[in-house]
Amino acid sequence: KAGVTQTPRYLIKTRGQQVTLSCSPISGHRSVSWYQQTPGQGLQFLFEYFSETQRNKGNFPGRFSGRQFSNSRSEMNVSTLELGDSALYLCASSPPEHPNEQFFGPGTRLTVL
Amino acid sequence: LAKTTQPISMDSYEGQEVNITCSHNNIATNDYITWYQQFPSQGPRFIIQGYKTKVTNEVASLFIPADRKSSTLSLPRVSLSDTAVYYCLVGPDNYGQNFVFGPGTRLSVLP
């Protein structure tokens, strides 16, 4: 099976812009979670989607949003970018029989200038 | 959610067995213990999960005492490529949970 894929791998934006990141989970996985990783804050949970519904959300401002499509692919959007949004954004999917066994993608490295 | 505590860093030499202990005093009855490994600039990779006693797979062993207030990840005969950050997570094995990755344990394997 192909692994979790994320596009784009690298992105450079300026403050105030918005960005959309994409994640394709492993075939058969219906849960997709998003994380932000920075050197200062570590790996932080953003939100989780299951069958097109947001099931859980981390402690991030409303500028961070996401959605999931019927084919389980997911997108996350960050509006009005700030310098502090520079981070590695990771997406993970997990199988229905083992929700805790998350398979992570390679991430999208976002740099905000 | 049960809070976890792990050592911030550990050093080891190639060929040694490494044991990383995680404390989770407030673990709930339906919580599982899950360990992940992360290399720089990559997403974490699932290593092992357990509920009680001992679990072993081709990569590691997980020891969980009867009170389940701690767990120990054991890596047999580590190599330089095992240098990574190891995270211990505690939570139910179902969707909709908030996966909390703490700072993890930075393992450095020396030649």
Side-chain angles (χ1 to χ4, degrees):
Chain A
K1 276 185 183 179
V4 176
T5 58
Q6 293 187 243
T7 55
R9 292 294 311 279
Y10 302 91
L11 204 49
I12 299 176
K13 292 284 188 179
T14 55
R15 278 182 301 176
Q17 288 187 310
Q18 77 162 19
V19 67
T20 299
L21 311 181
S22 181
C23 171
S24 292
I26 291 172
S27 177
H29 291 189
R30 293 164 61 190
S31 167
V32 173
S33 298
W34 287 90
Y35 295 84
Q36 180 197 67
Q37 186 165 34
T38 60
Q41 298 297 319
L43 194 57
Q44 293 186 285
F45 172 77
L46 279 158
F47 28 66
E48 183 215 358
Y49 286 87
F50 180 83
S51 293
E52 303 178 66
T53 301
Q54 189 180 88
R55 293 283 295 265
N56 208 340
K57 188 176 190 305
N59 189 24
F60 278 81
R63 299 185 297 108
F64 292 82
S65 62
R67 59 178 176 168
Q68 187 180 33
F69 303 96
S70 58
N71 61 359
S72 294
R73 191 177 69 84
S74 177
E75 289 182 346
M76 69 161 281
N77 184 276
V78 187
S79 62
T80 320
L81 284 166
E82 300 177 358
L83 295 179
D85 296 332
S86 293
L88 180 66
Y89 289 89
L90 293 159
C91 159
S93 70
S94 57
E97 62 273 18
H98 291 299
N100 279 356
E101 187 174 345
Q102 297 183 84
F103 293 80
F104 283 79
T108 294
R109 173 76 61 186
L110 171 66
T111 301
V112 182
L113 303 176
Chain B
L1 286 171
K3 184 175 187 259
T4 60
T5 304
Q6 309 171 227
I8 291 296
S9 64
M10 293 180 69
D11 290 338
S12 181
Y13 291 95
E14 279 192 294
Q16 289 188 330
E17 177 184 75
V18 170
N19 296 309
I20 306 175
T21 297
C22 178
S23 297
H24 28 80
N25 290 318
N26 297 324
I27 190 168
T29 303
N30 61 339
D31 284 345
Y32 285 75
I33 300 145
T34 311
W35 286 81
Y36 283 83
Q37 173 194 55
Q38 186 178 28
F39 299 112
S41 298
Q42 293 185 26
R45 181 177 74 107
F46 173 88
I47 301 175
I48 197 167
Q49 175 170 286
Y51 183 80
K52 62 179 179 180
T53 63
K54 176 184 173 183
V55 180
T56 297
N57 62 20
E58 64 278 4
V59 176
S61 294
L62 179 59
F63 298 92
I64 306 167
D67 66 6
R68 304 201 326 123
K69 292 184 184 298
S70 66
S71 58
T72 299
L73 175 72
S74 181
L75 305 171
R77 296 181 298 282
V78 293
S79 64
L80 296 177
S81 62
D82 292 316
T83 294
V85 178
Y86 293 82
Y87 299 95
C88 163
L89 281 73
V90 171
D93 196 11
N94 54 249
Y95 291 127
Q97 63 165 305
N98 183 334
F99 292 96
V100 179
F101 284 79
T105 297
R106 186 172 299 277
L107 173 65
S108 297
V109 180
L110 309 171

